[in-house]
Amino acid sequence: MAEELTPETPEEIEDQPIKQRKNGLYPGVSDELAENMKSGWADTELRDLEPIAQAGRTAERRAALSARFPGERLVVPAGNLKTRSNDTEYAFRASTEYAYLTGDQTQDGVLVLEPTEDGHEATLYLLPRSDRENGEFWLDGQGELWVGRRHSLSEAERLLGLPAKDVRELAAALKEATGPVRVVRGHDAGIEAALTDKVTAERDEELRVYLSEARLIKDSFEIGELEKACAATARGFEDVVKVLDKAEATSERYIEGTFFLRARVEGNDIGYGSICAAGPHATTLHWVRNDGDVRSGDLLLLDAGVETNELYTADVTRTLPINGTYSEIQRKVYDAVYEAQEAGIAAVKPGAAYRDFHDAAQRVLTEKLVEWGLVEGPVERVLELGLQRRWTLHGTGHMLGMDVHDCAAARTEAYVDTTLAPGMCLTVEPGLYFQADDLTVPEEYRGIGVRIEDDILVTEDGNRNLSDALPRRSDEVEAWMASLKG
C-alpha cells in the first residue's frame, strides 16, 4: 500500500504544500513539480448521465419527509470514514437514512432540507472533484490519484435529481442557521458539532424514528432489490456446499471467504458478519469468529446474506450436514425446527398480528421439547413461564431491508405491536440450541444447534418466500447437497 505525501484537506495543502507523512521517502514537492502537476490533464466531465433507477422513489421519500416536518431544517448525513488502524480505514458504507432518501453512497455527503413556504428545498452537499490547481488530487490522502475519481457536483445533480453543493461549506453555514433544526445523529461528528446549540436529543430521535418507520412498507423497487439479494445469497450457499471438503481441510474461514466472494461479485458486500458455525459453534447465536474446525458428521449452521449494490440485504440461514446426510438425532432436531418454521410462515399474512408468526413457531418448538421429555408440561405452562427459551433463545424474526435488522428505531406500536401489511418483509427463523455443557438434556442432544431462516414478503393475499430457491425440508436438503457435489 503506497504512502500519501500530504495533509488531509485542501486548506492545509494551500498553507503547507510540502507537508508529508513522517518517514516518507520524498523530502517535499518542488515548485517545478507542483506546477507540472497542474496541467496536461484531459477533460473527463461526464455529460450524458441518466438519473439513477430509484431517483423517482427517493424524491417521493423526501416529499413525505417534508410533509411530516414542515417549517424545520432537516439534516441527514451519510457519515465519514472510520479508522481501522493508524492511517487505514474501513470500507465506507453510507448511513441507511441518507441512502434511502438520496440513492447516493458517497462518504461525507449530507442531505439538507431547507424549509420554504410550501415545503422544503432539498440540497445535497458533497465533496466535489479533487482540485488540480492546488494539488489536492495528488497530494491529499483522499485525492483522486489515491482513492479514485468521484463525481463532479454537476454529475451528481444529473444522477440524483437534486441540487448539489460543496460539503466543505456546510458546517459554517449550519452554525449560522436559525429556526428549528433536526439531524440524524451518530454519523457525522462535524455536522453535529455545528448544530450543537440548535438541536435536542428528543427532536432528533423523532426524525430517526420517522425514517425507520417509513421503511416498514417496501415499494416495488425495494422488493426487486430484496429479490436480487436472495437470489445471489442462494448462489452463495451453493458455492459453500461445493467446497465443504476444502473447508474440512482448513476451517470455517474457508466457508466465510467463499460466501464473501459471491457477495462482492454480485453485490456491494455481505449485509452483516457471516455466521459460519460448524459443530457446537452452531449453538452460539452470533458466531462470527469463524475460526473453528469443520468436521464430517457435524452440522454447519450458515447464516449469511448478500447486500446488493443499492444496499438491500438478504438474511438466510440453513443448517447443513457437512457429510451430506443428517444423523438420526440431527434429523429429529432439524425436522422439529422445520415444522416450527412452517407454522411461523403460515402465520405471515396481511391483517395478522406481527407477533403471530413468533407465537406459532414457539408453540411447535415447545410441544417438541415437552414431547421429548426435556421440559415438564403442559405446553401452556411452559409458554407462560418462557421455559422453552433455554433452548429457543431468540425471537423468531425481524424486519428486513436496507439494514439486516431494518426499521429498528420504529416505535413498538408500529413494529412488534402492529398488524402485518402488504409490502412488509421479515425473517422467519426459529431455532433449537443445545449447548455442549447443558446437563439438563441427554448427551446425544448436546452441541447440536439448528436454525432455518427465510425472508418472507407480506403480499395482498398471504406471503411469498423470497429465499425459496434454497431447499428447507431435510430430505430435500440432502438431495440438493448431493446434486451439487456431483
Side-chain angles (χ1 to χ4, degrees), residues 237-254:
F237 275 66
E238 292 175 354
D239 296 339
V240 167
V241 171
K242 292 176 182 178
V243 300
L244 281 177
D245 58 333
K246 294 182 174 62
E248 287 187 59
T250 52
S251 74
E252 295 163 339
R253 288 185 177 178
Y254 203 97

Side-chain angles (χ1 to χ4, degrees), residues 170-191:
L170 179 59
L174 290 177
K175 287 181 181 179
E176 304 301 320
T178 59
V181 185
R182 297 177 191 258
V183 63
V184 177
R185 299 191 182 200
H187 302 299
D188 192 318
I191 294 299

Side-chain angles (χ1 to χ4, degrees), residues 69-117:
F69 298 102
E72 303 185 53
R73 181 178 286 102
L74 307 173
V75 182
V76 184
N80 316 125
L81 287 173
K82 292 181 173 62
T83 299
R84 180 180 184 272
S85 178
N86 189 25
D87 56 356
T88 61
E89 294 89 15
Y90 289 104
F92 180 73
R93 202 277 198 184
S95 74
T96 291
E97 296 88 352
Y98 175 86
Y100 178 75
L101 292 169
T102 67
D104 181 52
Q105 298 181 34
T106 55
Q107 69 200 52
D108 302 323
V110 184
L111 172 68
V112 178
L113 272 63
E114 294 282 351
T116 63
E117 289 185 0

Side-chain angles (χ1 to χ4, degrees), residues 76 81 104 134 174 178 317 325 367 381 393 437 458:
V76 184
L81 287 173
D104 181 52
N134 69 5
L174 290 177
T178 59
T317 307
T325 304
E367 289 171 348
R381 167 187 169 273
L393 294 178
D437 59 351
V458 183

Side-chain angles (χ1 to χ4, degrees), residues 2 24 36 138 220 252 261 291 297 299 309 356 413 440 450 455-456 468:
N36 177 276
W138 74 289
S220 58
E252 295 163 339
L261 175 61
D291 58 0
L299 295 175
N309 290 322
D356 284 354
E413 58 267 31
T440 71
V450 173
D455 302 342
I456 309 298
D468 64 355

Side-chain angles (χ1 to χ4, degrees), residues 359-404:
D359 293 341
Q362 288 291 298
R363 176 169 290 276
V364 171
L365 294 178
T366 302
E367 289 171 348
K368 297 296 182 182
L369 292 167
V370 171
E371 175 188 328
W372 299 341
L374 302 185
V375 63
E376 182 180 350
V379 168
E380 295 298 338
R381 167 187 169 273
V382 176
L383 288 169
E384 181 181 355
L385 298 176
L387 300 179
Q388 83 284 359
R389 292 178 60 185
R390 181 182 178 101
W391 304 286
T392 66
L393 294 178
H394 55 81
T396 309
H398 52 79
M399 292 293 183
L400 183 69
M402 294 185 80
D403 289 326
V404 65

